Amino acid sequence: MTTNHKVKKMMLILSKATLDNVYACFILANGARMEGIESEIFFTFFGLEAIQKEKLKHLHVATVGNPAMHMPTMLGGLPGMEAVATKMMKSKIEKLDIPPVDEFLEILTASGTKIWACKLAMDMFDIKESDLIEDLDGVLTVGDFYARASGEGTHVIFI
Amino acid sequence: MIEKTYAGTAVACTDEGYLQELAQWNKSIGTEIAKEESIDMTPKHWEVISYLQDQNKKGTALTIRSIGKSGVVSIKEFYELFPEGPLKKASRIAGIPKPVSCI
């Protein structure tokens, strides 16, 4: 018997809502679809912000506790610093023809990426399904999510 | 580089099967490449293909986003017309280079 190592499905778990993490997740999900690979995203904990209608347009880059910003932590904590860093990143992103978060979600769903919300995290943060984007495919438990990851060639990534 | 014969014409291809020169392309070649990708071409498919070729001639790098905004096809339709890797498959059929974009 030969082993086929071809990637068939990417199951991404997004647990953070900083712009860099959200984009990493979306680009991986979209890139998979572009290669003919199935992709699904499970939004949990702070990741849920990226699919909350009221919040998804206001995500930020973290300037504190992020050594790659190459900025002293005290400076990163100054008022307005996050806004400046976020603005800079958003303008870079636009130049590369990477869509803003809301448009990116539309592209993902149009491309066939499944969008799932974590039930436990929703209960924890008092989030209702009506707070989430219309394109949501549903609310899942961890068990449901693993059940969807059962096929051969499926990979799970936690972001 | 390899040489392949489509519709009785020898064309220069990359190792991944993309045409080296768009000038060597014609519709019959496109149809045969589409067959290799298990796609039956319809007028809508050709409309997308000629859009891709126009963009290539203008030197525009293609992304899924730009195709969605083209007015020619929606992203959903694009995935339906060229299932499993639409941008790569459509570029191959169009005789333009393999797309390098991650989005």
Side-chain angles (χ1 to χ4, degrees), chain A residues 22 43 93 150:
Chain A
V22 171
F43 292 82
I93 282 168
S150 60

Side-chain angles (χ1 to χ4, degrees), chain B residues 51-62:
Chain B
Y51 170 77
L52 297 185
Q53 290 170 338
D54 287 347
Q55 293 307 107
N56 176 263
K57 282 171 197 157
K58 282 187 213 161
T60 317
L62 290 160

Side-chain angles (χ1 to χ4, degrees), chain A residues 27 30-31 33-36 94 96-100 103-104 106-107 110-112, chain B residues 61 63-66 69 75-77 79 83-88 99 101-103:
Chain A
I27 290 166
N30 181 60
R33 294 300 301 129
M34 286 175 70
E35 298 298 321
E94 184 60 39
L96 288 169
D97 200 31
I98 301 173
E103 189 193 334
F104 213 149
E106 285 169 21
I107 292 177
S111 306
Chain B
T63 62
I64 291 283
R65 185 193 194 190
S66 65
K69 285 184 170 175
I75 292 172
K76 204 171 171 185
E77 286 170 320
Y79 272 91
E84 295 177 15
L87 194 54
K88 285 170 84 177
S101 166
C102 289
I103 44 163

